[in-house]
Amino acid sequence: MYENLASEFGVVDTCAMMGGMPQPSAPRKTPGRPPRISREEILAAARRIVDEAGVDRLTMRRLAMEVGSTPMALYHHVRDKEELLVLLLDDHAARTLRRPELPAHPRERVVVAATAIHAALAACPWSVEVLTADDLLSTSALWFVEQIVDGLVECGLSPDRAVHGYRAIWYYTAGELVVRTAAARRRASDDRVTYREQVFADLDPGELPRLAQLADRWAPLTAEDTYQEGLRALVDGLLAGR
Amino acid sequence: MYENLASEFGVVDTCAMMGGMPQPSAPRKTPGRPPRISREEILAAARRIVDEAGVDRLTMRRLAMEVGSTPMALYHHVRDKEELLVLLLDDHAARTLRRPELPAHPRERVVVAATAIHAALAACPWSVEVLTADDLLSTSALWFVEQIVDGLVECGLSPDRAVHGYRAIWYYTAGELVVRTAAARRRASDDRVTYREQVFADLDPGELPRLAQLADRWAPLTAEDTYQEGLRALVDGLLAGR
DNA sequence: ACCTGAACACCGTTCAAGT
DNA sequence: ACCTGAACACCGTTCAAGT
């Protein structure tokens, strides 16, 4: 089904996004023992584990059990665990990133493309793990990068500034995901919340007047989803006066 | 020296930054066996390990050896490894965050405060590990948050929008750090670079014209430090028309 | 109250051997 | 070429006991 995902799409380090790996080598004419398990099988099993139990539970041993093999057999199909995670995100991107209708205005195109990437990554919370381990994005995402860079150029930025603009958008997007995920994890492990409230209540209005004034609204305000709002501000700023 | 760091500064979940923990309890009047090791001793040893060998090498066992004790003794002074890491970043913030001269113009104050936090965190690459584990920042950082929120309000934002603006700035900052660290890690483990070059060279100019056009300049462009440039764009955008 | 020793329940990965 | 078994060199943390 997606056995030559890498060769079909090619894969690239966009220097700021998810990633993929080259296929190890072209299949020769049955030179030795026939394989019992395949990369796709491994990936499918890994996806199952991650979806059902979370990334933390994805271990080489458990994965081997899931595919009915031994841990070391996996290393014949995947270089190491890090590559497995990158492959997994690559796979996820290829199957969930659908190219949206693009608006006519280039500025809006930038917003739509960035939002689509953000939504795809926000949908799999473990993506942050991979992002921080290896900042690559599958070639499925290249089209979105193209739309962002092109939109910025169409709005009057030089190509160089457009690349920098794309990177700023990616920083903002990756940061939102990291903070969102960390907040979700904290919520899961309860506590701390009461502590935060306490400290906010104890703020010295003389030293930190704004924070003291906002103390009781801080929690709800920071719980709001403001990704698009901030994204639009960033894009506006990148294009200001041009 | 910094034995009551937590009680001195208090500590707070800013919902988007580094963090600290409450001291376990007030010292009673010698109720039992006198302590052989202290929190500060543990923290100092942890700092030594992290500086010399990296976060990956900071294990409870190695830390115990470094302080001349056993792994389990540590759990009497620290809840678990995660708290240890948060404490470590807290400690780092307290000793490296120096309040800069603030410019008169509130917009510039926002930029200066954000840049100071960014610089402090960029100076300790392992901070990303903690950021993604727990999104707290020590109270040492609260003053900077105050400056950002206040600066935005002074520029005409409502308090609510100022908090959202602060969060956008934090997303952008955290994202830059995450991507920067991932890129550094990738550089350290070499390879991949040639692969990226290859894929960029193979881009289909028909499908992805901008990326194809920028292919050979992509690497140097993305290597440039554009944190401030993007930050200014973001702040400009947040304040646009207000 | 604080510390120790031993143990539990795991990891990712290498190596040498099998088919 | 592909897979297996055993082992290496680790982890964080719990538990029961000591001082």
Side-chain angles (χ1 to χ4, degrees):
Chain A
M1 184 184 176
Y2 34 103
E3 48 197 350
N4 30 17
L5 185 141
S7 52
E8 196 180 329
F9 292 98
V11 158
V12 68
D13 174 359
T14 66
C15 224
M17 307 203 64
M18 313 184 234
M21 289 291 132
Q23 214 69 315
S25 61
R28 303 274 178 74
K29 322 183 90 187
T30 59
R33 181 172 168 170
R36 278 157 123 79
I37 53 174
S38 65
R39 235 190 205 210
E40 305 91 81
E41 232 176 308
I42 293 172
L43 242 37
R47 200 169 55 242
R48 239 177 293 137
I49 293 172
V50 165
D51 287 348
E52 285 168 19
V55 228
D56 299 347
R57 304 312 243 281
L58 178 63
T59 69
M60 299 304 267
R61 288 156 202 267
R62 177 160 176 177
L63 180 55
M65 249 178 51
E66 187 87 13
V67 297
S69 185
T70 64
M72 283 319 298
L74 303 175
Y75 286 86
H76 240 269
H77 302 266
V78 148
R79 190 171 32 152
D80 52 22
K81 199 187 176 182
E82 189 171 321
E83 181 180 298
L84 179 72
L85 283 171
V86 172
L87 246 22
L88 207 58
L89 187 53
D90 200 17
D91 183 36
H92 175 83
R95 78 177 59 238
T96 65
L97 267 178
R98 291 288 158 260
R99 302 184 179 184
E101 294 275 330
L102 289 180
H105 197 294
R107 177 189 303 230
E108 212 50 34
R109 234 162 66 213
V110 173
V111 172
V112 166
T115 304
I117 292 179
H118 176 261
L121 290 174
C124 64
W126 49 273
S127 66
V128 170
E129 229 83 0
V130 183
L131 257 35
T132 58
D134 193 328
D135 60 346
L136 309 164
L137 208 170
S138 95
T139 41
S140 323
L142 279 185
W143 182 83
F144 295 83
V145 178
E146 170 80 16
Q147 301 314 315
I148 292 172
V149 173
D150 184 62
L152 294 174
V153 172
E154 292 273 297
C155 285
L157 290 198
S158 73
D160 285 29
R161 293 188 68 88
V163 172
H164 289 158
Y166 156 69
R167 275 182 82 74
I169 291 170
W170 173 239
Y171 293 158
Y172 172 73
T173 302
E176 202 273 350
L177 291 165
V178 166
V179 172
R180 162 204 296 270
T181 307
R185 212 181 337 245
R186 186 162 32 79
R187 228 176 297 117
S189 73
D190 74 304
D191 67 278
R192 228 98 79 178
V193 182
T194 49
Y195 184 62
R196 164 178 64 165
E197 281 164 4
Q198 179 205 310
V199 178
F200 257 96
D202 292 352
L203 282 181
D204 176 5
E207 239 228 313
L208 306 171
R210 291 290 178 205
L211 298 187
Q213 167 203 351
L214 283 157
D216 50 333
R217 288 226 304 297
W218 194 269
L221 277 174
T222 54
E224 288 178 41
D225 179 358
T226 57
Y227 173 76
Q228 276 238 8
E229 186 184 330
L231 174 63
R232 281 178 193 284
L234 177 55
V235 173
D236 286 353
L238 290 169
L239 298 176
R242 262 160 287 262
Chain B
M1 183 184 176
Y2 34 102
E3 49 197 350
N4 30 15
L5 185 141
S7 52
E8 196 180 329
F9 292 98
V11 159
V12 68
D13 175 359
T14 66
C15 222
M17 307 202 68
M18 312 184 233
M21 289 291 132
Q23 213 69 313
S25 61
R28 304 274 177 74
K29 324 182 91 188
T30 59
R33 180 172 171 171
R36 279 158 122 80
I37 53 175
S38 66
R39 234 188 207 210
E40 306 92 81
E41 231 177 308
I42 292 173
L43 242 36
R47 201 169 53 242
R48 238 177 292 135
I49 293 173
V50 165
D51 287 347
E52 285 167 17
V55 228
D56 298 347
R57 305 311 244 281
L58 178 63
T59 69
M60 300 304 267
R61 289 156 201 266
R62 177 159 176 176
L63 181 54
M65 249 179 51
E66 188 86 12
V67 297
S69 185
T70 64
M72 282 320 298
L74 304 175
Y75 286 86
H76 240 268
H77 302 266
V78 145
R79 189 172 32 152
D80 52 21
K81 198 187 174 181
E82 189 171 321
E83 182 181 298
L84 178 72
L85 283 171
V86 172
L87 246 22
L88 206 58
L89 187 53
D90 201 16
D91 182 37
H92 175 83
R95 78 177 59 239
T96 66
L97 269 177
R98 291 288 157 261
R99 301 184 180 185
E101 294 275 330
L102 289 180
H105 196 293
R107 178 190 300 231
E108 213 49 35
R109 233 162 67 215
V110 172
V111 172
V112 166
T115 303
I117 291 179
H118 177 260
L121 290 174
C124 64
W126 50 271
S127 65
V128 171
E129 229 84 0
V130 183
L131 256 36
T132 58
D134 195 328
D135 60 345
L136 310 165
L137 207 169
S138 95
T139 40
S140 323
L142 280 185
W143 181 84
F144 295 83
V145 178
E146 170 80 15
Q147 301 315 314
I148 292 172
V149 173
D150 184 62
L152 293 174
V153 172
E154 292 274 297
C155 285
L157 290 197
S158 73
D160 285 29
R161 293 189 68 87
V163 172
H164 290 158
Y166 156 70
R167 276 182 80 75
I169 290 170
W170 172 240
Y171 293 158
Y172 172 74
T173 302
E176 203 272 350
L177 291 165
V178 167
V179 173
R180 164 204 295 269
T181 306
R185 211 182 337 246
R186 185 161 32 77
R187 229 177 294 115
S189 74
D190 76 304
D191 65 279
R192 228 98 81 177
V193 183
T194 51
Y195 184 61
R196 165 178 64 164
E197 282 165 1
Q198 179 207 310
V199 179
F200 256 97
D202 292 352
L203 281 182
D204 177 5
E207 239 228 312
L208 306 171
R210 291 291 177 205
L211 298 187
Q213 168 202 351
L214 283 157
D216 50 334
R217 288 226 305 295
W218 194 268
L221 278 174
T222 54
E224 287 177 40
D225 179 359
T226 57
Y227 174 75
Q228 275 239 9
E229 186 184 328
L231 173 63
R232 282 180 191 281
L234 177 55
V235 173
D236 287 352
L238 290 169
L239 298 176
R242 264 160 287 264

